[in-house]
Amino acid sequence: MRIGVLTGGGDCPGLNAVIRAVVRKGISTYGHEFVGFRDGWRGPLEGNTRELGIAQVRGILPRGGTILGSSRTNPFKIDGGVEKIKSNLAELGIDALVAIGGEDTLGVAAKLTDLGVNVVGVPKTIDNDLGATDYTFGFDTAVNIAMEAIDRLHTTAESHHRTLVVEVMGRHAGWIALHAGLAGGANVILLPERQFDVEQVAGYVEKRFQTQYSPIVVVAEGAQPLDGQMVTHNQELDAFGHVRLGGIGQWLAEQLEAKTGKEARTVVLGHIQRGGTPTAFDRVLATRFGLGAIDAVHEGDFGKMVALQSTDIVRVPLADATRELKTVPVERYTEAEVFFGS
Ligand code: F6P
């Protein structure tokens, strides 16, 4: 078979590990051929390819980013986009696609499957918010980066008797904030799943200062105050209708400083959480996903996504993965609340 591979959406540590596993097993075990599509769905849309063989995947296991490039291109928002993809795939002799991405990229994959394109999906996102899989690769790396930042912030916050607000990624799901906050011993964690009361947060901050320690507040970029709304960078929407978030940390620090009389500063971790080398957990998960994906392609089991359920790699319908976002359940937040303000 001649198989196309693409990576779409926000990049994520471990993408290259998936590509490597797909190509290595695909060639050495099954004797398939590969074509790399550049920049997500833009690649098949524009017929933009690069060579993808064993030589091209040598040495990429620990590298962050994606050797194929990425974009948030949505072919369903482009006139004649789907027809263009189909004709390009036919012209290039592509029998099947491995699409590595999050809800948007895999949403396109699910729709293309219904239109007769042979696709197998691999779940990727640092947000860990895809349904049907216990974890996505990239999440563990992002959490470790954020945890390390929080560890460092504790000591400087204490030296200066300041509140430090750490803004992490997480548009609709607060998994990164929850896990990094728990692992880093944050004193308050604020998630998109639950609107927060700024007076209550100020109360936690004051309580923490009374213990002679300084508060660390971890806030997901999509968190909102009661009766408030998400803080956005601007109003522009991307091809999947997402607005660019950012600024809740700064807003919150100003509020906390005014309410507590103690200096409050903000650190926005931003793309640092997505860059650089993946953790061992993510390298192994990404590799296992890649091996599972090429097996599915080889068996002609299309319209599926590989997923981690417990410790097993399984296959689920692509539609299941994208039907509903996996958000943080109330009981997980309740566990974290035990530590708030103390
Ligand atoms: O979906 C992953 C993610 O990192 C989100 O957490 C974040 O909201 C978004 O991507 C940011 O995307 P971009 O880098 O395109 O602004």
Side-chain angles (χ1 to χ4, degrees):
M1 261 192 257
R2 204 165 140 78
I3 302 161
V5 182
L6 65 88
T7 53
D11 72 338
C12 173
L15 284 167
N16 286 325
V18 180
I19 298 168
R20 168 181 175 268
V22 166
V23 171
R24 288 278 290 268
K25 185 166 188 184
I27 294 175
S28 61
T29 307
Y30 297 129
H32 295 311
E33 238 182 276
F34 290 89
V35 172
F37 282 104
R38 290 183 193 270
D39 301 339
W41 290 113
R42 195 190 295 148
L45 189 69
E46 297 177 357
N48 194 353
T49 63
R50 61 160 282 177
E51 207 182 332
L52 192 59
I54 302 264
Q56 286 70 37
V57 300
R58 287 257 181 252
I60 67 171
L61 172 65
R63 265 181 65 188
T66 160
I67 60 164
L68 296 176
S70 191
S71 76
R72 294 192 188 274
T73 306
N74 182 354
F76 286 90
K77 283 281 156 65
I78 294 166
D79 263 352
V82 173
E83 293 66 34
K84 195 83 196 113
I85 286 186
K86 283 180 137 185
S87 66
N88 282 338
L89 293 181
E91 213 165 287
L92 290 162
I94 303 292
D95 303 298
L97 281 176
V98 174
I100 311 165
E103 53 159 332
D104 298 329
T105 305
L106 297 182
V108 170
K111 287 198 215 162
L112 286 177
T113 297
D114 295 341
L115 298 171
V117 180
N118 294 333
V119 193
V120 167
V122 177
K124 161 258 42 156
T125 165
I126 62 162
D127 294 347
N128 196 40
D129 59 358
L130 273 178
T133 185
D134 292 350
Y135 284 98
T136 50
F137 66 87
F139 171 66
D140 185 65
T141 306
V143 167
N144 274 285
I145 292 167
M147 177 197 71
E148 194 181 307
I150 295 167
D151 285 350
R152 290 172 188 278
L153 292 172
H154 273 293
T155 57
T156 171
E158 276 152 29
S159 306
H160 292 271
H161 315 290
R162 282 176 179 144
T163 303
L164 281 177
V165 177
V166 188
E167 182 180 307
V168 298
M169 281 188 170
R171 191 186 286 277
H172 301 295
W175 291 108
I176 296 176
L178 182 77
H179 280 228
L182 271 174
N187 309 106
V188 187
I189 302 171
L190 304 172
L191 313 181
E193 287 85 346
R194 168 149 4 150
Q195 290 192 323
F196 62 87
D197 175 359
V198 70
E199 295 296 340
Q200 188 185 30
V201 177
Y204 288 137
V205 162
E206 274 169 345
K207 199 164 157 226
R208 171 73 172 176
F209 273 124
Q210 282 159 18
T211 68
Q212 306 305 320
Y213 284 95
S214 291
I216 304 284
V217 178
V218 175
V219 60
E221 61 182 352
Q224 305 163 46
L226 281 177
D227 305 322
Q229 50 191 11
M230 283 182 182
V231 181
T232 60
H233 188 77
N234 57 34
Q235 289 311 310
E236 262 172 53
L237 299 181
D238 70 14
F240 290 93
H242 304 304
V243 76
R244 191 168 141 198
L245 297 178
I248 185 67
Q250 182 57 30
W251 179 86
L252 184 60
E254 285 164 17
Q255 294 285 318
L256 293 176
E257 188 166 305
K259 287 180 194 301
T260 64
K262 296 267 203 232
E263 187 182 8
R265 299 277 191 97
T266 314
V267 176
V268 181
L269 294 185
H271 293 93
I272 287 175
Q273 294 158 99
R274 291 213 319 237
T277 189
T279 58
F281 179 91
D282 280 337
R283 292 183 201 190
V284 172
L285 181 59
T287 297
R288 293 184 72 208
F289 276 161
L291 297 175
I294 193 60
D295 288 347
V297 171
H298 183 72
E299 290 167 28
D301 195 6
F302 300 117
K304 297 285 171 57
M305 180 190 86
V306 289
L308 179 73
Q309 289 181 1
S310 181
T311 54
D312 297 328
I313 303 295
V314 300
R315 294 176 199 164
V316 297
L318 266 171
D320 285 6
T322 52
R323 188 167 297 128
E324 212 182 323
L325 275 189
K326 184 182 66 190
T327 52
V328 175
V330 175
E331 52 289 4
R332 291 298 308 276
Y333 192 63
T334 308
E335 288 171 0
E337 274 179 317
V338 170
F339 303 97
F340 289 8
S342 58

